[in-house]
Amino acid sequence: MRSVSVFLCGLVFGIGLIVSGMADPANVIGFLDLAGLWNPQLALVMAGAVAVGLAGFALARRRTHPLLAGAEGTMHWPTATRVDRRLMLGSVLFGVGWGLAGFCPGPALVGVGLGNGDAVVFTVAMLAGMFLHRKLAPHLPG
Amino acid sequence: MTIDWPHFSPLHALTGGALIGLASVMLMLLHGRIAGISGILGGLLAGLLGDSSKPEVLWRLAFLLGLLYAPLLYRQWEVVGPIHVEAGNGTLVAAGLLVGFGTRLAGGCTSGHGICGLSRLSIRSLVAVCAFMAAGFVTVGVVRHLLA
C-alpha cells in the first residue's frame, strides 16, 4: 500500500517532467543558452513547481507524522543549513555536467524509461559518479 | 537576448511544473520524504551496497520505478518525445560523472535543492541553485559560442 503510493508520487513527478518539456535536454540547453535563442521554459516550470511546493510544504510543516507512515513515521526534513565548500564545489560540478548534456537526474531516468540510448549512457555514468563520491567522500575536505 | 518562442510553451511549463510540485508535496505529506532524485538514487545505491535497511531501499525503488514508468504510461494518451541529445558518448559520460559526483557532494540537484529546497525557503538550497545555474549558463556559453 505504502509502496504503491510512493510509486504514484514518482509517476506524477515523471509525468510532470514530460508535460513540462523538461524530459527533453534540448529545452534545458535552450534555457541555459543565454547568448543564443533563449527558451524561458525551465524558469516557468520551476515557478509552477515552487508555487505548489510553497503552499504544500507549509501545510506539511504542521504535521509531526506523515499521513501514510503510521505513528512511528517521522517527517524527514533536511537539517543541513550550512553553505560550505562541498555545497559550492558540488553544485558547480553538477552545473557543468548539466550544461554539457542537458540532463539532470530526474529527466535522465525518464529518458531511460523512454528507452533512449543516450539517457542510458548518461545514467550509467551518473551512477558511477555517485559511487565515486561514496569512495572519495571521507577523504574530501569539508 | 532573443527568445525562442516556437519552443516556449507557458501552459505546458506551468501545468508540468505544478505536477512536479504536487508529487513533491505528496511524497512529504504522505511519506515524510524529500523528492530529491539524486538523493533518492544515492540512498538506493548505499542501500544496495549494504549501508541501509530494507524499508529505505523499498521506498526509493518504488519512487524511481514510478519515474521510469511515467513515459510508458503517458505514451498511452499522447506522443512522447523524441528527445534531442546533442552530446556524443564521450561528453555524455563526462557529464554523467560530473552530475553524479557533484549532486552527491552538494547534497541535491534540480529537484532536491531546486524545487523542494526553494519551496522550503532554504538559503542553502538557494545558494546551490544559483551556483549550478551559473555553472550551466557558463558551460553552455563556452560549448556553444566559444568552442563551436
Side-chain angles (χ1 to χ4, degrees):
Chain A
M1 162 67 191
R2 273 181 218 167
S3 290
V4 173
S5 164
V6 178
F7 174 83
L8 289 175
C9 291
L11 192 65
V12 173
F13 197 101
I15 289 174
L17 284 173
I18 296 166
V19 171
S20 68
M22 291 302 107
D24 189 351
N27 286 328
V28 175
I29 302 274
F31 169 78
L32 294 175
D33 190 7
L34 292 175
L37 266 180
W38 188 60
N39 184 350
Q41 189 88 357
L42 190 146
L44 216 56
V45 176
M46 292 277 293
V50 171
V52 173
L54 276 172
F57 280 8
L59 203 70
R61 275 275 181 219
R62 300 199 205 150
R63 299 198 54 86
T64 47
H65 304 293
L67 285 163
L68 290 184
E72 80 280 11
T74 47
M75 305 292 275
H76 295 263
W77 293 107
T79 50
T81 52
R82 257 182 64 192
V83 174
D84 52 19
R85 277 189 293 178
R86 285 181 182 225
L87 181 81
M88 299 308 295
L89 179 65
S91 296
V92 167
L93 292 177
F94 162 44
V96 172
W98 192 39
L100 284 176
F103 278 125
C104 52
L109 290 178
V110 172
V112 171
L114 270 170
N116 180 278
D118 294 324
V120 173
V121 171
F122 176 90
T123 301
V124 170
M126 177 173 74
L127 289 170
M130 290 181 171
F131 183 75
L132 202 66
H133 173 262
R134 263 177 69 80
K135 293 287 158 203
L136 293 181
H139 312 293
L140 296 170
Chain B
M1 180 181 290
T2 323
I3 305 251
D4 185 8
W5 292 110
H7 291 110
F8 179 40
S9 170
L11 188 66
H12 283 105
L14 286 174
T15 316
L19 284 174
I20 296 169
L22 180 71
S24 308
V25 169
M26 277 167 44
L27 190 65
M28 182 46 86
L29 213 49
L30 299 176
H31 303 281
R33 296 293 180 162
I34 284 285
I37 312 301
S38 59
I40 294 177
L41 259 180
L44 179 66
L45 197 68
L48 294 177
L49 295 171
D51 286 3
S52 52
S53 59
K54 197 173 148 212
E56 280 297 307
V57 171
L58 263 183
W59 80 264
R60 291 165 197 270
L61 210 53
F63 187 90
L64 296 173
L65 284 175
L67 202 55
L68 286 167
Y69 185 62
L72 302 174
L73 178 70
Y74 196 74
R75 229 181 228 164
Q76 315 282 322
W77 314 310
E78 279 209 53
V79 178
V80 183
I83 61 173
H84 308 85
V85 182
E86 278 181 34
N89 276 339
T91 309
L92 283 171
V93 168
L97 286 169
L98 285 166
V99 170
F101 189 89
T103 52
R104 294 311 293 139
L105 188 61
C109 57
T110 7
S111 47
H113 278 312
I115 290 153
C116 297
L118 295 184
S119 296
R120 292 188 300 112
L121 303 174
S122 155
I123 300 294
R124 176 177 148 88
S125 289
L126 177 66
V127 173
V129 172
C130 292
F132 69 65
M133 285 216 173
F137 287 136
V138 170
T139 303
V140 172
V142 168
V143 170
R144 279 212 166 168
H145 302 286
L146 284 182
L147 298 179

